[in-house]
């Protein structure tokens, strides 16, 4: 890899700011990834979790979020220190990141549907929410997530000369844009995804609200908890979906000011990448009593805690 001047001829304060930001991100990533790894460990240690749809989706979200955080963190480091890489490696990196970008919001949408089935269709929940169906749904999520990056990279391969792959580039998702109209196509696909997921979330919330109003006191408590879960999914989904629009603002800023581009990417990374991923442990890792007890059991090595799952 070729490395350009990390300070870009700037002052020592600019370098110090960059170092401070890098340290903050590394600490936050280390904390989140450690928590995610504990949650994943808890999931695989208890067989009962492996046969329940909501936990399977939860574990899938954790695994993809962990990989996504590692990849985005590496890309952030490369951007801050202005490290270039072979264009072909950057293309592979960006295609995988683009696919993972859609996986989390689509999985959150599937989790909201699972809560809808559990609360609004309890008699069919056991039939519809099986381990086999969950795995099929995960494959479907990845297939849908791959549509946009596959279209983008196919157009890219047909548009750039072979000599392009021998060049070294500062890696960014914009490297895959060979024509201006590709941005409009990408925007159209993102808007379609956004619309479908928002409609799904609103539909599940309204239906759960309707059931909660008519339910008995015990059932109402269960429905209320499901409604809160859907709200948290909606907040998390909203942040994830805003991330889909970040490349457009970043692309507009890049030709104007490289330092401003780096500042905007840092803000987007904290608010729209790290923040929604830290909500996953909250929704199921801490709010779900069964999972929380299992997590506490393993964190404290089973000392003074007896759990029945």
């Amino acid at each position: 890899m070729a490395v350009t001047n990390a300070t870009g001829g700037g002052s020592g304060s600019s370098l110090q700011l960059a170092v401070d930001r890098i340290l903050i991100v590394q600490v936050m990533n280390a904390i989140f990834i450690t928590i995610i790894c504990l949650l994943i460990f808890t999931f695989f240690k208890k067989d009962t979790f492996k046969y329940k749809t909501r936990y399977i989706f939860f574990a899938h979200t954790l695994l993809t979020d962990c990989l996504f955080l590692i990849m985005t963190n590496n890309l952030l480091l490369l951007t801050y220190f202005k490290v270039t890489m072979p264009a072909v490696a950057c293309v592979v990196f960006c295609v995988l990141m683009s696919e993972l970008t859609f996986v989390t919001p689509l999985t959150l949408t599937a989790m909201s549907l699972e809560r809808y089935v559990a609360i609004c269709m309890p008699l069919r929940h056991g039939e519809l929410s099986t381990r086999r169906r969950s795995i099929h749904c995960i494959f479907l999520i990845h297939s849908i997530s791959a549509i946009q990056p596959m279209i983008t990279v196919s157009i890219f391969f047909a548009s750039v000369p072979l000599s392009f792959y021998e060049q070294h580039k500062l890696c960014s998702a914009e490297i895959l844009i060979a024509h201006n109209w590709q941005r409009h196509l990408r925007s159209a696909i993102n808007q379609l995804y956004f619309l479908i997921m928002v409609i799904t979330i609103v539909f599940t919330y309204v239906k759960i609200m309707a059931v909660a109003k008519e339910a008995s006191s015990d059932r109402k408590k269960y429905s209320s908890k499901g409604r809160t879960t859907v709200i948290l999914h909606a907040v998390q989904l909203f942040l994830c979906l805003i991330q889909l629009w970040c490349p457009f603002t970043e692309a507009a800023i890049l030709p104007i000011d490289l330092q401003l581009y780096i500042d905007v990417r840092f803000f987007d990374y904290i608010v729209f990448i790290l923040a929604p991923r830290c909500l996953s442990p909250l929704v199921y890792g801490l709010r779900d009593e069964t999972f929380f007890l299992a997590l506490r059991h393993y964190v404290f090595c089973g000392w003074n805690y007896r759990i029945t799952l």
Side-chain angles (χ1 to χ4, degrees), residues 134-147:
S134 302
I135 294 172
H136 288 170
C137 185
I138 288 172
F139 281 121
L140 180 62
I141 287 170
H142 280 274
S143 299
I144 296 173
S145 300
I147 292 175

Side-chain angles (χ1 to χ4, degrees), residues 40 63 74 133 139 242-243 275 279 305:
I40 293 172
L63 288 168
N74 290 337
R133 288 179 184 271
F139 281 121
I242 290 180
Q243 181 197 340
L279 284 175
Y305 293 110

Side-chain angles (χ1 to χ4, degrees), residues 4-302:
T4 61
N5 185 359
T7 64
S11 63
S13 60
S14 298
L15 179 60
Q16 184 60 47
L17 177 62
V19 172
D20 290 343
R21 286 179 174 179
I22 290 298
L23 289 176
I24 291 170
V25 170
Q26 300 316 300
V27 171
M28 294 177 68
N29 264 306
I31 293 172
F32 290 149
I33 291 175
T34 299
I35 293 172
I36 288 173
C37 288
L38 283 172
L39 295 171
I40 293 172
F41 174 80
T42 302
F43 171 81
F44 283 107
K45 285 293 289 183
K46 287 294 178 183
D47 289 337
T48 51
F49 293 147
K50 300 174 188 177
Y51 292 92
K52 294 185 178 180
T53 299
R54 66 180 185 272
Y55 296 125
I56 294 173
F57 283 153
F58 176 49
H60 174 251
T61 305
L62 292 175
L63 288 168
T64 54
D65 282 352
C66 187
L67 179 58
F68 188 73
L69 287 176
I70 292 171
M71 294 185 69
T72 52
N73 183 57
N74 290 337
L75 188 59
L76 184 72
L77 290 173
L78 293 174
T79 301
Y80 256 90
F81 293 106
K82 301 180 177 68
V83 181
T84 61
M85 65 167 62
V88 64
C90 181
V91 168
V92 174
F93 199 82
C94 289
V95 168
L96 182 55
M97 274 188 49
S98 180
E99 197 246 340
L100 291 176
T101 298
F102 290 101
V103 168
T104 293
L106 285 171
T107 306
L108 290 173
T109 304
M111 293 170 80
S112 296
L113 284 173
E114 187 276 333
R115 288 294 81 199
Y116 160 73
V117 172
I119 294 170
C120 301
M121 305 167 63
L123 297 180
R124 297 201 63 194
H125 183 252
E127 174 192 348
L128 296 175
S129 299
T130 64
R131 183 181 184 182
R132 183 176 180 180
R133 288 179 184 271
S134 302
I135 294 172
H136 288 170
C137 185
I138 288 172
F139 281 121
L140 180 62
I141 287 170
H142 280 274
S143 299
I144 296 173
S145 300
I147 292 175
Q148 193 252 43
M150 287 299 101
I151 292 174
T152 302
V153 79
S154 297
I155 298 171
F156 176 80
F157 284 150
S159 303
V160 300
L162 292 176
S163 58
F164 176 87
Y165 302 105
E166 300 174 359
Q167 301 175 24
H168 282 70
K169 299 282 186 178
L170 187 65
C171 195
S172 165
E174 292 304 303
I175 198 174
L176 296 175
I177 303 299
H179 308 284
N180 286 330
W181 58 265
Q182 280 183 261
R183 291 187 175 89
H184 299 298
L185 176 62
R186 183 175 64 180
S187 175
I189 296 174
N190 288 354
Q191 288 179 40
L192 178 62
Y193 281 28
F194 179 89
L195 182 63
I196 292 172
M197 287 185 279
V198 167
I199 290 174
T200 304
I201 288 289
V202 172
F203 170 79
T204 55
Y205 179 77
V206 170
K207 288 294 185 180
I208 290 173
M209 281 284 292
V211 170
K213 288 181 180 179
E214 300 175 359
S216 60
S217 57
D218 291 339
R219 188 70 183 170
K220 188 171 291 186
K221 182 179 178 181
Y222 178 68
S223 300
S224 176
K225 189 173 183 179
R227 182 182 60 191
T228 304
T229 299
V230 172
I231 292 175
L232 288 172
H233 283 329
V235 173
Q236 192 177 6
L237 182 62
F238 178 71
L239 293 174
C240 289
L241 292 176
I242 290 180
Q243 181 197 340
L244 299 178
W245 304 102
C246 291
F248 300 108
T249 56
E250 293 169 4
I253 294 171
L254 180 57
I256 301 172
D257 189 328
L258 179 60
Q259 186 56 49
L260 179 60
Y261 168 76
I262 292 173
D263 292 340
V264 171
R265 289 195 73 179
F266 178 78
F267 175 81
D268 290 344
Y269 180 81
I270 296 294
V271 178
F272 303 124
I273 294 179
L274 279 183
R277 269 77 191 177
C278 77
L279 284 175
S280 290
L282 171 65
V283 176
Y284 280 112
L286 300 180
R287 290 184 66 253
D288 187 283
E289 184 179 357
T290 303
F291 201 94
F292 176 71
L293 289 174
L295 174 65
R296 188 174 66 176
H297 174 79
Y298 291 116
V299 168
F300 291 98
C301 303

